[in-house]
Amino acid sequence: MDSQMKTIYESVIARDPNQPEFHQAVEEVLDSLGPVIDAHPEFLPVVESMVEAERIIQFRVPWYDDSGNLQVNRGFRIQMNSAIGPYKGGLRFHPTVNQSILKFLAFEQVFKNSLTGLPMGGGKGGSDFNPKGKSDPEVMRFCQSFMMELWRHIGADLDVPAGDIGVGGREIGYLFGMYKKLANEFTGVLTGKGRSYGGSLIRPEATGYGLVYFAREMLATKGRSFEGATVAISGSGNVAQFACEKVLDLGGIPVTMSDSGGWIHDPSGIDREKLAWIMDLKNNRRGRISEYAKNFDGVSYSKSEPEPALNGLWDTDVDVALPCATQNEINGEEAKMLVKNGAIAVAEGANMPCTPEAVEVFLDNGILFAPGKASNAGGVATSGLEMSQNSLRLSWTREEVDQRLESIMVEIHKSASETAAKYGMPGNYVAGANIAGFLKVAEAMTAQGMI
Ligand code: NDP
């Protein structure tokens, strides 16, 4: 890392020594910015400013469970950067949620949103609430209590949250209903809404579809495609399900999926019928992926311990890997397994699923590697399209939204690869995405007087 960047990185650690995930996300970006600051020394103060959130909100979320006992969770919203538009980024409900994880996600979101070309700043929020095993009324009471505080800090032109881990259509519905009641207005304050109340077609599919569009572009640079390629996917939530669907559309063969309990390997391929079964299992029955192995022949199931490392999943003989579960799920050793097994491309569907050691292994071995802030930007881009439709009071067709999503992903690929080449690192999508995302925000912050 360049010495000026190192000084900034050390001050980030000194300020918040107990935030390892945030340090990791900052380190990855600062690692790329040396050549930009050499070319634009006037942007150094921007970097110093960007690593500090504009505003952090933390609040108490009390709610009553079905037995009448009071439960108390912690809620957060990190408003990281509003230089190019209202804060925008998802809400995560997971027991591991803390300020470090949300700051890492909010920081990444700033660059990602900039890359989409749409006017969106970066934010992230959530709670250490665990929706797993809770009844619908419990989830509803929690969401209502969460929104009772959050509503005063968000707005269609201020901060527009969306879903993330543990926050899907059900939660967004309950959150939106409470916002509408408190604010006494119907606006596009959340994205990922249901179709009947302002949601966009393709938003549920967008992150997974966009990921595969990006990976397709990347493979094409080596004259390869998804046709006949075997694909390892981790996770079985929103991103993983629709990544799997788009891989099938493009003629690929998905062979793995996982949840926090373990992973399945289906050598004959997860076809459309099996994927529909997984969607029903996860979205309606809220069951475990282990049930897949009991339901279909020739499938192996392995438990993964310790969370979230998925162990053997990445020791599978595949051409493409799409990690779509959570942060730090592929470490250096697992990356070496993918190299050994002849993988040609890895594209991040989740945020920061590959550790810095894993990324180094991929880059050193000439594996095409797409960082999440580029390859999973389709979700937030389509949220941006949902905001536009809400403002216009219009609803675009499925084909219209999908075409816009596809062209945004093609543009992000182009911008990341051209920027990497311009700064002397051809093929390095990590550097390309960080630099391209940074430049737009840096220009806007400078123009606005660094406030
Ligand atoms: P979901 O909650 O729908 O699915 C998450 C999946 O990952 C589930 O299969 C879950 O298993 C698994 N998982 C979660 N935590 C862990 C863990 N600690 N160890 C192992 N497996 C785990 O979330 P999404 O699909 O929405 O999000 C997945 C990733 O994609 C996240 O990193 C998110 O930030 C990122 N992302 C999501 C976007 C979106 O539009 N939804 C946009 C951009 C990025 P289980 O059910 O057992 O918990």
Side-chain angles (χ1 to χ4, degrees):
M1 188 186 294
D2 166 281
S3 67
Q4 289 171 306
M5 295 298 111
K6 196 155 199 292
T7 309
I8 296 175
Y9 181 57
E10 281 163 2
S11 76
V12 167
I13 296 179
R15 264 191 181 162
D16 293 301
N18 300 318
Q19 299 188 346
E21 294 86 359
F22 180 55
H23 303 161
Q24 187 182 331
V26 169
E27 183 182 14
E28 193 231 84
V29 170
L30 296 189
D31 251 343
S32 305
L33 294 186
V36 189
I37 301 304
D38 289 345
H40 296 280
E42 72 277 14
F43 287 156
L44 183 62
V46 173
V47 185
E48 284 165 343
S49 189
M50 277 183 87
V51 294
E52 190 64 27
E54 285 182 22
R55 189 180 298 118
I56 294 181
I57 299 142
Q58 184 184 314
F59 50 99
R60 179 170 71 196
V61 190
W63 56 282
Y64 282 92
D65 65 22
D66 287 344
S67 312
N69 298 316
L70 178 71
Q71 304 286 340
V72 179
N73 285 98
R74 201 172 247 190
F76 302 90
R77 187 72 183 164
I78 315 287
Q79 297 183 331
M80 199 75 195
N81 196 303
S82 62
I84 63 169
Y87 308 105
K88 180 91 197 83
L91 296 171
R92 176 176 292 192
F93 292 168
H94 195 272
T96 56
V97 161
N98 57 34
Q99 218 184 92
S100 172
I101 289 183
L102 295 180
K103 276 174 70 181
F104 118 62
L105 290 163
F107 187 70
E108 292 247 303
Q109 197 82 44
V110 174
F111 298 86
K112 181 187 307 191
N113 293 3
S114 166
L115 277 171
T116 65
L118 300 173
M120 300 183 289
K124 201 84 190 187
S127 173
D128 57 2
F129 172 73
N130 185 0
K132 235 176 268 169
K134 304 288 190 301
S135 68
D136 282 359
E138 286 178 325
V139 172
M140 186 197 293
R141 286 195 292 275
F142 171 81
C143 288
Q144 291 174 339
S145 178
F146 184 83
M147 190 51 90
M148 242 186 285
E149 174 59 35
L150 187 69
W151 82 281
R152 70 191 83 246
H153 307 290
I154 61 175
D157 294 318
L158 168 63
D159 184 350
V160 185
D164 189 75
I165 291 179
V167 179
R170 173 182 63 168
E171 290 76 14
I172 292 289
Y174 296 152
L175 290 164
F176 182 76
M178 195 63 187
Y179 177 86
K180 184 167 63 68
K181 194 175 178 83
L182 291 165
N184 201 28
E185 62 178 22
F186 193 115
T187 58
V189 72
L190 290 159
T191 56
K193 298 187 289 299
R195 280 290 297 144
S196 56
Y197 60 97
S200 174
L201 285 164
I202 297 287
R203 176 60 189 93
E205 294 88 340
T207 308
Y209 278 18
L211 168 69
V212 178
Y213 289 142
F214 190 99
R216 179 195 69 192
E217 294 301 297
M218 207 166 64
L219 288 169
T221 65
K222 299 274 184 216
R224 303 288 296 262
S225 78
F226 271 104
E227 191 63 50
T230 49
V231 183
I233 297 174
S234 65
S236 49
N238 173 270
V239 180
Q241 291 173 16
F242 290 105
C244 185
E245 184 166 291
K246 189 51 76 178
V247 166
L248 290 169
D249 288 349
L250 300 187
I253 307 160
V255 291
T256 68
M257 277 216 180
S258 71
D259 59 22
S260 52
W263 60 284
I264 54 108
H265 182 218
D266 185 346
S268 64
I270 301 167
D271 60 19
R272 279 181 204 282
E273 203 182 310
K274 291 170 174 174
L275 175 60
W277 187 92
I278 291 175
M279 287 182 171
D280 179 54
L281 173 79
K282 287 289 166 185
N283 308 343
N284 303 326
R285 292 186 278 138
R286 298 187 187 270
R288 312 305 298 156
I289 200 74
S290 54
E291 294 171 41
Y292 182 99
K294 293 184 193 135
N295 204 62
F296 298 104
D297 291 336
V299 178
S300 63
Y301 171 75
S302 315
K303 280 190 187 164
S304 48
E305 289 179 79
E307 242 192 345
L310 298 166
N311 313 318
L313 193 159
W314 307 114
D315 197 8
T316 316
D317 188 2
V318 289
D319 301 307
V320 180
L322 303 176
C324 298
T326 192
Q327 63 273 2
N328 293 330
E329 45 167 317
I330 303 187
N331 61 25
E333 290 310 307
E334 289 161 325
K336 284 182 196 154
M337 291 172 188
L338 283 165
V339 172
K340 181 193 76 190
N341 288 327
I344 49 172
V346 179
E348 294 185 330
N351 286 310
M352 213 167 72
C354 301
T355 65
E357 296 75 29
V359 176
E360 207 177 312
V361 169
F362 297 138
L363 296 180
D364 288 351
N365 286 279
I367 295 212
L368 292 164
F369 173 73
K373 59 171 81 71
S375 50
N376 71 27
V380 73
T382 308
S383 279
L385 301 178
E386 181 172 330
M387 289 164 75
S388 304
Q389 292 171 81
N390 290 163
S391 299
L392 293 165
R393 303 263 193 277
L394 280 177
S395 184
W396 295 330
T397 63
R398 198 180 155 83
E399 291 69 30
E400 223 170 335
V401 181
D402 196 19
Q403 268 167 21
R404 285 177 201 257
L405 165 66
E406 186 173 0
S407 58
I408 289 171
M409 296 315 296
V410 170
E411 269 311 304
I412 295 176
H413 177 269
K414 191 164 165 246
S415 156
S417 71
E418 286 179 358
T419 307
K422 182 174 167 194
Y423 284 89
M425 294 168 274
N428 184 335
Y429 291 96
V430 177
N434 286 337
I435 296 172
F438 170 78
L439 283 172
K440 183 174 171 192
V441 178
E443 276 161 26
M445 284 177 75
T446 308
Q448 291 169 25
M450 300 290 297
I451 44 175

